[in-house]
Amino acid sequence: MKVHADTDVCVASGQCALLAPDTFDQRDDDGIVVLREEDPPAAQDDVVRRAVLACPSGALRLTE
Protein backbone atom coordinates (compact mmCIF):
# COMPACT_ATOMS: atom_id res chain seq x y z
CA MET A 1 0.00 0.00 0.00
CA LYS A 2 1.27 3.47 -0.91
CA VAL A 3 0.14 6.69 0.72
CA HIS A 4 -0.25 9.92 -1.25
CA ALA A 5 -0.71 13.38 0.24
CA ASP A 6 -1.81 16.46 -1.70
CA THR A 7 -0.42 19.43 0.21
CA ASP A 8 -2.43 21.85 -1.95
CA VAL A 9 -5.68 20.31 -0.66
CA CYS A 10 -4.64 19.80 2.98
CA VAL A 11 -6.41 22.05 5.52
CA ALA A 12 -4.02 21.27 8.39
CA SER A 13 -6.59 19.58 10.65
CA GLY A 14 -3.92 17.19 11.96
CA GLN A 15 -6.16 14.13 12.19
CA CYS A 16 -3.72 12.06 10.16
CA ALA A 17 -0.76 12.93 12.39
CA LEU A 18 -2.79 12.18 15.52
CA LEU A 19 -4.00 8.80 14.27
CA ALA A 20 -0.87 7.58 12.45
CA PRO A 21 2.16 9.55 13.65
CA ASP A 22 4.64 7.08 12.15
CA THR A 23 3.25 7.82 8.68
CA PHE A 24 2.13 11.46 8.91
CA ASP A 25 3.46 14.64 10.45
CA GLN A 26 2.72 18.34 10.07
CA ARG A 27 4.87 21.26 9.03
CA ASP A 28 5.72 23.51 11.95
CA ASP A 29 4.91 26.78 10.18
CA ASP A 30 1.44 26.04 8.81
CA GLY A 31 0.38 22.55 9.89
CA ILE A 32 0.21 21.12 6.36
CA VAL A 33 0.67 17.36 6.16
CA VAL A 34 4.15 15.87 5.81
CA LEU A 35 4.33 12.30 4.59
CA ARG A 36 6.87 10.50 6.78
CA GLU A 37 6.39 7.07 5.24
CA GLU A 38 5.11 6.64 1.68
CA ASP A 39 5.00 2.85 1.97
CA PRO A 40 4.14 2.05 5.61
CA PRO A 41 4.61 -1.46 7.00
CA ALA A 42 1.65 -3.83 6.61
CA ALA A 43 1.23 -3.91 10.40
CA GLN A 44 0.10 -0.27 10.21
CA ASP A 45 -2.44 -0.72 7.40
CA ASP A 46 -5.51 -0.36 9.62
CA VAL A 47 -4.36 2.78 11.41
CA VAL A 48 -3.20 4.40 8.17
CA ARG A 49 -6.54 3.61 6.49
CA ARG A 50 -8.37 5.19 9.44
CA ALA A 51 -6.19 8.29 9.20
CA VAL A 52 -6.88 8.62 5.46
CA LEU A 53 -10.62 8.28 6.04
CA ALA A 54 -10.49 10.89 8.82
CA CYS A 55 -8.97 13.55 6.56
CA PRO A 56 -11.66 16.24 6.23
CA SER A 57 -10.27 17.69 3.00
CA GLY A 58 -9.62 14.47 1.10
CA ALA A 59 -5.93 15.35 0.76
CA LEU A 60 -4.89 11.76 1.45
CA ARG A 61 -5.36 8.67 -0.68
CA LEU A 62 -4.11 5.11 -0.84
CA THR A 63 -3.09 2.92 -3.74
CA GLU A 64 -2.49 -0.78 -3.57
Side-chain angles (χ1 to χ4, degrees), residues 27-53:
R27 294 191 305 217
D28 289 334
D29 59 335
D30 59 5
I32 297 297
V33 65
V34 173
L35 192 55
R36 298 183 75 192
E37 181 67 53
E38 184 177 296
D39 192 10
Q44 293 188 10
D45 280 0
D46 288 341
V47 71
V48 171
R49 287 181 196 282
R50 277 187 263 140
V52 169
L53 289 172

Side-chain angles (χ1 to χ4, degrees), residues 4-12 27 30 32-35 57 59-60:
H4 307 274
D6 186 341
T7 57
D8 292 330
V9 176
C10 179
V11 295
R27 294 191 305 217
D30 59 5
I32 297 297
V33 65
V34 173
L35 192 55
S57 67
L60 305 174

